[in-house]
Amino acid sequence: MDLQSAEIWRSLLAQAAEVCASELRIMEVCGTHTNAIAQNNLRSLLPENVQLISGPGCPVCVSGVLFIEKIRSLLRSNITVAMFGDLLRIPGSQGTLMGEKNLKVVYSPEDALEYARQNPEQEVVFAAVGFAPTLSAAAALIMECRACGVENFSLLSDFKELLPVLRMLCAQRGLHGLLLPGHVASITGKNYFRNLPVPGVVAGFEPENILHSLQIILQAIAGSQLDLLVNNYPSAVRENGNTAALKLIEAVFEVSDSVWRGLGEVPGGGWKLRNEYAQFDAEKRYDLTGVQASENPACRCGEVLTGKISPRECPLFGKVCTPRNPAGACMSSSEGSCAAEFNYAGGSDL
């Protein structure tokens, strides 16, 4: 964005916010939004009374240390675990998974299944994290496994259901608006976010689209349109979402309680495989109920993820916790708010 455009947006946002309350807290939920906002220094264009805080939209970050330790338990039982690369650097109770044997880094759920097919003598588990887009891909994968008779593949699921957490954060953090995730909405649809207590806008990822979405939110707050819900990403998001993907999810998974980093166990905050697909459930297949884990008490990643503090308010930020040596999930993942702050807003890698 050039300087002239930036100044135009600064003026438009100031006009939208000038009749609002003295301080407004708007949360951007998506980790991709967090990175785009930091990379383009969009916070510098906001009026003084508008605080844009990062939320729990990094799927790797919101998975707790117990998930990491369950992966480690599988690996040390000579089971191959396929996972996304970001998970390798998330610290568990016993450190990260770097250096563990039997790891296979993949770029999609389909890669994990293909590896299992090519290596039928190995037990292969896909360590699955994410929201609706990855969830729908995993649902299709499990249905394919059943149809093709693949017997050496299973799923260690830590998929998250976003809506209960958004409602919780609106109440706990005194939010006034939500910049809603375009990637999630491409599957769930805009209407998934109905009945939130604050105005919300589903946004794309270009700087101008993000700023326009923030302008809409500020105008809604100024006009007391607390139930406003706008799709500002119509090229990718429909009103009712991707109906084929949603049917797949409904067929294979069911909503369950889930532990979110920084929030603890959230009722209805996750997904698990339905009983008819239990043969593909790694939790049941390998009995991981005895695995234990504990969070690093010095890391405040959970508070960053839920908007309680900013990355720089964590005493570890930029000192003992850097992208090269992360102490917490928010610095480990490419979508983490601490990593975005460090990489684009002048961290110091000591």
Side-chain angles (χ1 to χ4, degrees):
M1 184 189 305
D2 59 40
L3 183 60
Q4 183 178 9
S5 296
E7 289 306 314
I8 290 172
W9 278 113
R10 189 193 306 275
S11 176
L12 290 171
L13 293 170
Q15 291 173 28
E18 63 184 358
V19 296
C20 296
S22 57
E23 183 175 337
L24 300 175
R25 291 168 58 83
I26 299 172
M27 176 175 281
E28 97 268 355
V29 178
C30 178
T32 307
H33 281 149
T34 296
N35 269 267
I37 289 164
Q39 187 173 5
N40 294 281
N41 198 23
L42 299 188
R43 284 186 173 84
S44 68
L45 304 180
L46 298 177
E48 289 186 3
N49 65 321
V50 177
Q51 183 183 9
L52 183 58
I53 59 179
S54 299
C58 166
V60 171
C61 300
V62 296
S63 294
V65 295
L66 181 59
F67 184 67
I68 300 300
E69 293 308 322
K70 286 180 179 180
I71 294 173
R72 196 188 314 275
S73 177
L74 290 170
L75 293 170
R76 293 183 178 181
S77 299
N78 205 33
I79 295 165
T80 299
V81 179
M83 69 181 74
F84 298 138
D86 277 359
L87 279 171
L88 286 173
R89 305 179 70 245
I90 305 295
S93 297
Q94 301 178 51
T96 71
L97 297 171
M98 299 290 288
E100 295 282 350
K101 296 180 180 179
N102 302 313
L103 275 170
K104 174 69 177 176
V105 175
V106 296
Y107 298 96
S108 71
E110 292 78 10
D111 290 345
L113 177 57
E114 184 60 27
Y115 182 83
R117 282 173 163 162
Q118 292 178 0
N119 298 274
E121 76 287 352
Q122 296 181 30
E123 290 289 307
V124 178
V125 173
F126 176 50
V129 299
F131 301 106
T134 316
L135 178 65
S136 62
L141 203 70
I142 293 300
M143 294 193 83
E144 185 178 353
C145 280
R146 173 183 271 187
C148 297
V150 178
E151 297 182 352
N152 65 323
F153 182 85
S154 57
L155 194 72
L156 181 64
S157 172
D158 201 23
F159 288 119
K160 302 300 188 188
E161 170 66 2
L162 189 57
L163 206 55
V165 167
L166 294 185
R167 292 196 178 103
M168 186 182 298
L169 291 176
C170 284
Q172 292 181 358
R173 298 292 179 255
L175 301 180
H176 297 92
L178 290 166
L179 190 71
L180 296 167
H183 291 147
V184 172
S186 69
I187 300 297
T188 65
K190 183 200 81 171
N191 289 336
Y192 168 81
F193 296 103
R194 286 181 302 181
N195 301 320
L196 287 169
V198 298
V201 176
V202 177
F205 303 98
E206 293 299 319
E208 290 83 359
N209 187 280
I210 293 172
L211 293 169
H212 183 222
S213 299
L214 291 172
Q215 181 191 25
I216 294 171
I217 292 171
L218 292 173
Q219 290 170 337
I221 296 169
S224 298
Q225 296 175 281
L226 302 186
D227 61 348
L228 185 76
L229 177 60
V230 173
N231 177 15
N232 202 26
Y233 193 28
S235 62
V237 175
R238 290 175 281 182
E239 296 293 295
N240 295 312
N242 184 325
T243 54
L246 292 172
K247 286 179 181 178
L248 273 175
I249 292 171
E250 182 68 20
V252 177
F253 291 93
E254 61 184 340
V255 172
S256 66
D257 298 344
S258 182
V259 175
W260 286 62
R261 190 185 299 269
L263 291 170
E265 185 166 271
V266 177
W271 294 85
K272 66 179 181 180
L273 286 164
R274 293 186 178 275
N275 286 335
E276 52 264 46
Y277 294 94
Q279 70 190 92
F280 302 109
D281 189 338
E283 291 266 7
K284 297 176 179 178
R285 190 166 180 166
Y286 302 109
D287 188 15
L288 298 173
T289 54
V291 178
Q292 297 182 343
S294 58
E295 298 279 358
N296 176 0
C299 174
R300 300 181 68 183
C301 181
E303 294 171 79
V304 172
L305 282 166
T306 56
K308 188 173 183 178
I309 66 171
S310 68
R312 290 183 183 273
E313 291 178 277
C314 176
L316 304 186
F317 179 87
K319 302 179 179 70
V320 299
C321 184
T322 70
R324 284 194 288 179
N325 185 35
C330 297
M331 190 68 86
S332 307
S333 170
S334 60
E335 291 195 353
S337 51
C338 290
E341 176 73 13
F342 186 98
N343 290 330
Y344 301 117
S348 57
D349 203 348
L350 301 179

